[in-house]
Amino acid sequence: MAATALNVKYSGRAGGTSTARLQILLGHLQGSAAPAIAAYPTSADVVRLGFHPQKFQYTVDNNVLTLEQRQFYEDNGFLVIKKLVSEADIQRYRAQFERICRKEVKPLGLDIMKDVTIAKIALSPHENITTKIQNFQNDEELFSYCTLPQIVKYVECFTGPNVMAMHTMLINKPPDSGKKTSRHPFHQDLHYFPFRPPNSIVCAWTAMEHIDRNNGCLVVLPGTHKGSLEPHDYPKWEGGVNIMFHGVQDYDLNQPRIHLVMEKGDTVFFHPLLIHGSGRNRTEGFRKAISCHYASSDCYYIDVKGTSQENIEKELQVIIEKKHGVANVELKDAWMMRARLVKGKRINL
């Protein structure tokens, strides 16, 4: 599974009225120092850019993305925007995460996860034993990430104007214990989502510090968002796999892949069918990122019984019954409880 790295560079030139308008918009949002944001691949294989506006199906008409950015997402299923989130906001999220880890605050509905290597060990509450928190929709400090105007402005380019926050997460990838459990297998996020259509769903994932191959950056398989939802299950890894870390069971090992090297505040937007994962953290520090999955309020829930998603529903039922004593919860019920309106109208049931 040898991989070829790609650093994503950004052009400082403003070509055309769309780019000029976008720079003016960012100036209003972030001040006069707003950076140029056009993303251009510089190595490895990605789908070649072409300009066919009539064929757009993964983005909606908007005045935010340049034509080239829009086509890049259409072709590849992801788009990186530089320095979208301020250092001050990132520090606020980091501080609140630390308070949650110390149990100084206990947001309703929050899920706290530990690495499989320490999950059953009794340790004092601390940031260094928490690998992920999910579903922070009831924590106003962290949820403010999901409503940042500069984030939502881009989200609407993929979902349209009525936006729901469906899944929230802050990842604290730990230094690998030597068993490679800090890895995340290649997967498609739609495997976990009982709502459709996929083209109206997008993830915003923001680096909270410098992220590269050493501390386990995101790895994406460009263009795979054009395929279908593949069967997922636990990979057969010797060192163990974290709970619910399902992976695609069959994909081309030789398919080109891109390692997303990101700086603090950089944000990648990606499609829920894009196959992606992350490598192990080879450093001594923790690698942090914050994310939210959004969906259009025109999406609808589905019953996953009899589909490839049935295995994740059954696993979730066991977890909920053990944790809350509630039996036979359907996957869509769990997601309906998490959904929170960001803008517009609520999701259809």
Side-chain angles (χ1 to χ4, degrees), residues 323-338:
K323 185 176 180 179
H324 302 289
V326 180
N328 300 319
V329 173
E330 294 185 352
L331 191 61
K332 68 177 181 179
D333 296 328
W335 282 101
M336 286 170 62
M337 291 187 291
R338 298 168 180 172

Side-chain angles (χ1 to χ4, degrees), residues 35-294:
I37 60 172
Y40 300 97
T42 58
S43 62
D45 293 323
V46 295
V47 181
R48 293 184 61 185
L49 293 178
F51 299 96
H52 307 287
Q54 71 276 14
K55 296 182 180 179
F56 288 153
Q57 57 179 311
Y58 302 106
T59 57
V60 300
D61 291 339
N62 64 85
N63 294 318
V64 177
L65 299 179
T66 66
L67 184 61
E68 192 169 12
Q69 287 174 320
R70 191 173 179 184
Q71 190 66 51
F72 186 90
Y73 185 90
E74 291 278 332
D75 291 336
N76 296 288
F78 72 96
L79 181 68
V80 178
I81 306 298
K82 294 290 287 182
K83 300 296 182 184
L84 193 60
V85 179
S86 72
E87 186 154 350
D89 281 330
I90 289 174
Q91 183 54 42
R92 286 198 301 121
Y93 308 144
R94 181 184 292 271
Q96 184 69 352
F97 173 71
E98 292 172 359
R99 286 190 285 268
I100 290 171
C101 291
R102 294 192 299 265
K103 296 189 176 181
E104 294 173 6
V105 292
K106 299 179 180 180
L108 183 67
L110 190 75
D111 293 322
I112 299 177
M113 299 179 65
K114 300 178 181 178
D115 189 82
V116 65
T117 58
I118 63 171
K120 296 182 180 180
I121 302 175
L123 297 170
S124 299
H126 192 274
E127 172 189 357
N128 290 353
I129 66 168
T130 303
T131 59
K132 184 186 296 185
I133 59 173
Q134 295 189 104
N135 307 317
F136 55 70
Q137 66 274 3
N138 294 314
D139 184 282
E140 294 302 325
E141 187 78 345
L142 290 181
F143 191 76
S144 67
Y145 167 80
C146 306
T147 60
L148 287 174
Q150 64 268 38
I151 293 282
V152 176
K153 182 70 70 172
Y154 279 97
V155 167
E156 290 181 281
C157 298
F158 310 104
T159 65
N162 298 309
V163 184
M164 296 288 296
M166 304 302 294
H167 179 232
T168 52
M169 184 165 55
L170 195 153
I171 305 159
N172 190 42
K173 184 189 277 284
D176 197 86
S177 64
K179 295 187 177 181
K180 302 180 181 180
T181 54
S182 65
R183 293 178 295 174
H184 200 301
F186 278 118
H187 64 284
Q188 297 166 296
D189 288 341
L190 192 67
H191 171 66
Y192 298 93
F193 300 157
F195 42 91
R196 301 291 188 271
N199 290 354
S200 296
I201 304 168
V202 71
C203 179
W205 193 100
T206 299
M208 296 178 67
E209 56 204 293
H210 173 81
I211 296 178
D212 58 26
R213 296 184 70 170
N214 288 326
N215 59 4
C217 63
L218 286 181
V219 187
V220 301
L221 305 187
T224 51
H225 67 300
K226 297 178 182 180
S228 58
L229 179 60
E230 300 294 334
H232 287 60
D233 210 332
Y234 284 107
K236 296 176 175 61
W237 288 348
E238 293 180 3
V241 186
N242 281 300
I243 187 170
M244 287 190 161
F245 275 31
H246 291 191
V248 175
Q249 294 298 288
D250 185 22
Y251 64 92
D252 183 0
L253 297 178
N254 297 316
Q255 183 164 347
R257 61 192 65 181
I258 298 175
H259 292 74
L260 297 183
V261 177
M262 301 170 68
E263 300 299 331
K264 182 188 294 186
D266 292 356
T267 302
V268 58
F269 297 89
F270 60 90
H271 192 278
L273 283 172
L274 181 73
I275 297 177
H276 66 286
S278 63
R280 54 181 163 151
N281 183 356
R282 295 180 172 89
T283 71
E284 296 181 359
F286 286 73
R287 186 271 271 163
K288 291 182 175 61
I290 188 169
S291 70
C292 179
H293 278 89
Y294 300 86

